[in-house]
Amino acid sequence: MSLRKLAGPLLALITLLVAACQTTTPGSMQGAVEVRSGVIEQITDVQISNTKTRGLGAVVGGALGLGVGSLIGGGTGRDVAMVLGTIGGAVTGNTVQRRNQAPTPGQDIIVRLNNGVLVSVTQEPTNLRVGQKVFIQGQGEEARVTPAQ
């Protein structure tokens, strides 16, 4: 198998790795944000585990693996070494990146909405205080508590 024959699969692999870094959902309404209001009932300091990766480790590892694989053998054996090096490097790079992401300080903020429902949002530390009127913008992992003006 020649390098030209491998160019297509390698390009597809790199495209797949880059596409995995996409943060928006197709068809989602960008710019539209749900806003709820309420009063802070409790604030607790927490550690936020940083398990999200942007795929940079996998891309760099894959590129390095491709480079190392290209140095091995010749002909078909070299092509196989390049593919295996790319895959192995991508997996190793992703693992190293995840291992080196330390938890960050944060706050778990419990808000009683105007309709009486309690909502808990974990986010980076802020200057909010118990009893303060706030807005909750967004939902899920993207939700943020901000002061009401």
Side-chain angles (χ1 to χ4, degrees):
M1 186 179 275
S2 71
L3 184 57
R4 290 182 189 262
K5 290 182 182 178
L6 281 179
L10 288 176
L11 182 60
L13 177 62
I14 292 170
T15 302
L16 179 64
L17 290 172
V18 171
C21 301
Q22 182 178 353
T23 58
T24 59
T25 304
S28 67
M29 297 187 324
Q30 292 182 338
V33 178
E34 177 185 358
V35 178
R36 297 165 282 176
S37 61
V39 176
I40 295 177
E41 294 242 333
Q42 179 180 336
I43 299 176
T44 307
D45 291 332
V46 296
Q47 292 291 315
I48 301 172
S49 64
N50 196 357
T51 58
K52 292 183 180 179
T53 61
R54 299 200 179 269
L56 183 61
V59 172
V60 171
L64 290 174
L66 175 64
V68 170
S70 70
L71 300 175
I72 297 173
T76 304
R78 179 178 178 206
D79 295 339
V80 170
M82 289 171 63
V83 170
L84 293 177
T86 301
I87 294 170
V91 170
T92 303
N94 190 42
T95 302
V96 169
Q97 182 181 15
R98 284 180 182 250
R99 188 179 312 136
N100 291 328
Q101 292 179 327
T104 58
Q107 293 179 322
D108 185 39
I109 303 169
I110 298 178
V111 177
R112 182 170 301 276
L113 299 179
N114 293 338
N115 63 5
V117 173
L118 289 174
V119 176
S120 174
V121 176
T122 302
Q123 67 184 37
E124 300 78 27
T126 62
N127 291 328
L128 300 172
R129 58 181 165 59
V130 173
Q132 184 175 5
K133 292 183 180 183
V134 293
F135 294 122
I136 299 178
Q137 299 176 348
Q139 58 186 352
E141 290 185 15
E142 302 301 318
R144 294 292 170 255
V145 178
T146 58
Q149 299 296 330

